[in-house]
Amino acid sequence: KLEAKSSHNPLHLVYQKSSLMTDKSSTALIWIFGFEKQIPQSIRHNLLFLIAEVSSQISCLKNYFSEFSAIVATAATERSGYILNLTSRIHKNCHNHIIHRRENTLDTLAFREINAIASSLERISELCCDCVKHSNTINNKDCLQSLEYQPLFDQVILAIGLIDRAFFRQMAGVALG
């Protein structure tokens, strides 16, 4: 959970560990949300698309665990190449910004943290593909249709949405949420 704290920077955040976020991805929210400088447009756009693609992939996986149709399985896995490409672009652009330090951009640590978030999102994508692949080896799929899984998918989608809100809308309510 992130909380807004009053300091010299009104958007300074304090982090309280959440079970949904890795240490690397949560650190990035702290560093970047508090900065008044802009994320470069090339990185911002690719990160927005990455967030949207991974969220969509998780939604497809959630639907797959309800229906087990080949069409939904394909939808849950077909965009993994595009996700990998977006992640590579983010890594490349962050690296270029670190090397060619530009005015009014984030510092080196913030770019590294953006890389960590992109890598974490890519890993979530890989796990979605692995879930589809491994579920095909299970003969009795009734155990996978448990209602216990559905809220977990919703929590992951919500957590990924918080990244979007914290980065691009910079709303103080996100920190308090």
Side-chain angles (χ1 to χ4, degrees), residues 117-131:
I117 287 176
S119 295
S120 295
L121 289 169
E122 180 188 351
R123 181 66 185 130
I124 291 170
S125 171
E126 290 171 0
L127 291 171
C128 286
C129 293
D130 289 347
C131 284

Side-chain angles (χ1 to χ4, degrees), residues 60 63-76 132 136 141 145:
C60 287
N63 292 338
Y64 176 72
F65 277 119
S66 297
E67 301 172 21
F68 295 106
S69 85
I71 294 170
V72 178
T74 301
V132 171
N136 287 328
K141 297 202 186 320
Q145 291 180 320

Side-chain angles (χ1 to χ4, degrees), residues 33-78:
F33 193 87
F35 278 88
E36 295 173 357
K37 297 179 180 181
Q38 292 288 329
I39 298 171
Q41 185 174 3
S42 59
I43 296 170
R44 187 171 47 245
H45 287 173
N46 285 324
L47 195 54
L48 273 173
F49 285 120
L50 182 60
I51 289 168
E53 288 293 331
V54 173
S55 294
S56 174
Q57 191 174 37
I58 294 167
S59 293
C60 287
L61 182 62
K62 178 182 175 182
N63 292 338
Y64 176 72
F65 277 119
S66 297
E67 301 172 21
F68 295 106
S69 85
I71 294 170
V72 178
T74 301
T77 59
E78 72 182 353

Side-chain angles (χ1 to χ4, degrees), residues 21-29 113 116-117 120:
M21 302 174 101
T22 65
D23 287 335
K24 288 183 180 180
S25 64
S26 58
T27 304
L29 290 177
E113 296 301 341
I117 287 176
S120 295

